[in-house]
Amino acid sequence: MTEEPIESLLRESAARLEARAGDAPAARLEAEVLLAHVAGVDRAQLLIRDRVEAATAERLRGLVEERVATARPVAYLVGQRAFRDFVLQVDERVLVPRPETELLVERFEQLLAEGAVPPGPVVDRGTGSGNLALSCCGRRPVVATDLSADALEVARANADRLGTGQGLLLVQGDGLACLRPASVAVIVANPPYVDRSEHAALPEDVGAHEPAMALYAGEGGYRAVFAALVSEARVVLVPGGWLIAEVGQGQADEVMATCRSQGLESVACRSDLAGIPRVVSARRA
């Protein structure tokens, strides 16, 4: 049986990927993720193996060439992405979950630990793959809404596969309009906050492949998106309930000002690992 050395295969693949994006560490990581996928092992197991079958090496080369030629995200190529303690199934119907979005769950957990969350369910507005909703399950009942029926199919598949969706209700709807007034303890939201004018500045794999509905703010841009979100939150939150929202780079100050102008209190922001103000939280008085 013909085999190829893993290390030389990874170097070859990383060099091809680096030529596309110019980021050597990211290229090496992508090569390892793709090889682990085609070999059917964890990345850690690559460290204790010296060689792989030639057929596995050819499958890797095929995925590398697809990545180079089309910029299709690695998460879509392998069909999954890690988020906190989960490995979620993802495809072009949903955004690729990102590490900075984990900050929303961390803020929710912090508020719970402080005893600052009133009784009531959590709502994940625009659930996508279900990453936020599933991370909050087990602590409170969770309602996950999304305008996209396709996204809800992905979220349901992840809940069923992981077995962590107890107390989870999936609802197709636009925003929070499907909810009763004063019925929700916490809203977590990663809304579409990229203005259309920024399309050319996005990485190619994001702009060309991830769903536009989940990426781009509509008419009025991100300001209109967050003004509507805060207005909806004021209606559906119980007194003392919290809105926790992800914001784009350079948007935090305006979003915080919107929260204050609409009567929310305890307005705060947390930065991601790159130092970018990323998660705004505010409480209904």
Side-chain angles (χ1 to χ4, degrees):
M1 183 181 299
T2 305
E3 295 183 329
E4 294 195 30
I6 284 178
E7 184 54 36
S8 62
L9 184 60
L10 286 173
R11 285 199 300 268
E12 170 196 323
S13 300
R16 287 287 293 135
L17 294 165
E18 183 182 356
R20 184 195 74 83
D23 187 335
R28 173 70 185 211
L29 174 60
E30 289 184 1
E32 291 179 359
V33 170
L34 292 173
L35 178 55
H37 171 68
V38 296
V41 299
D42 295 329
R43 276 180 59 218
Q45 291 179 279
L46 296 178
L47 299 175
I48 59 174
R49 299 179 61 174
D50 294 325
R51 309 177 76 83
V52 295
E53 295 178 8
T56 299
E58 287 309 305
R59 288 196 295 274
L60 171 63
R61 291 187 176 101
L63 288 181
V64 168
E65 291 310 310
E66 182 177 355
R67 172 75 169 142
V68 171
T70 70
R72 190 180 181 206
V74 169
Y76 294 161
L77 289 172
V78 303
Q80 62 184 32
R81 181 62 174 258
F83 185 84
R84 287 176 59 87
D85 299 329
F86 305 123
V87 176
L88 298 166
Q89 294 177 344
V90 296
D91 57 35
E92 279 84 350
R93 293 174 290 177
V94 296
L95 288 181
V96 176
R98 290 165 168 78
E100 53 266 30
T101 305
E102 297 182 7
L103 290 173
L104 278 77
V105 184
E106 292 176 11
R107 179 59 172 153
F108 168 60
E109 292 176 336
Q110 178 187 19
L111 293 170
L112 275 180
E114 293 172 353
V117 178
V122 175
V123 171
D124 176 12
R125 181 192 184 277
T127 192
S129 64
N131 53 318
L132 290 174
L134 293 171
S135 296
C136 295
C137 280
R139 299 171 175 87
R140 294 290 179 90
V142 177
V143 178
T145 72
D146 206 295
L147 186 58
S148 167
D150 288 339
L152 290 174
E153 287 182 8
V154 177
R156 170 53 64 195
N158 278 319
D160 291 344
R161 183 176 60 86
L162 295 169
T164 55
Q166 296 85 355
L168 173 64
L169 175 65
L170 296 170
V171 177
Q172 185 176 5
D174 189 5
L176 303 172
C178 58
L179 303 171
R180 296 194 313 274
S183 63
V184 175
V186 176
I187 299 162
V188 291
N190 181 14
Y193 53 68
V194 179
D195 285 345
R196 285 282 183 179
S197 62
E198 300 175 26
H199 171 80
L202 291 175
E204 184 182 3
D205 50 0
V206 176
H209 293 277
E210 299 199 45
M213 179 188 295
L215 273 177
Y216 298 112
E219 186 176 351
Y222 75 87
R223 294 178 179 87
V225 167
F226 285 107
L229 173 60
V230 174
S231 179
E232 292 176 336
R234 289 178 63 246
V235 173
V236 303
L237 286 172
V238 300
W242 290 88
L243 170 64
I244 307 172
E246 181 173 326
V247 302
Q249 186 170 3
Q251 298 175 359
D253 286 344
E254 288 188 68
V255 175
M256 294 171 73
T258 298
C259 290
R260 295 187 183 101
S261 70
Q262 295 203 34
L264 300 186
E265 62 182 24
S266 302
V267 181
C269 185
R270 296 185 65 178
S271 297
D272 61 22
L273 293 177
I276 298 170
R278 184 63 69 182
V279 173
V280 171
S281 58
R283 184 175 61 183
R284 179 183 171 187

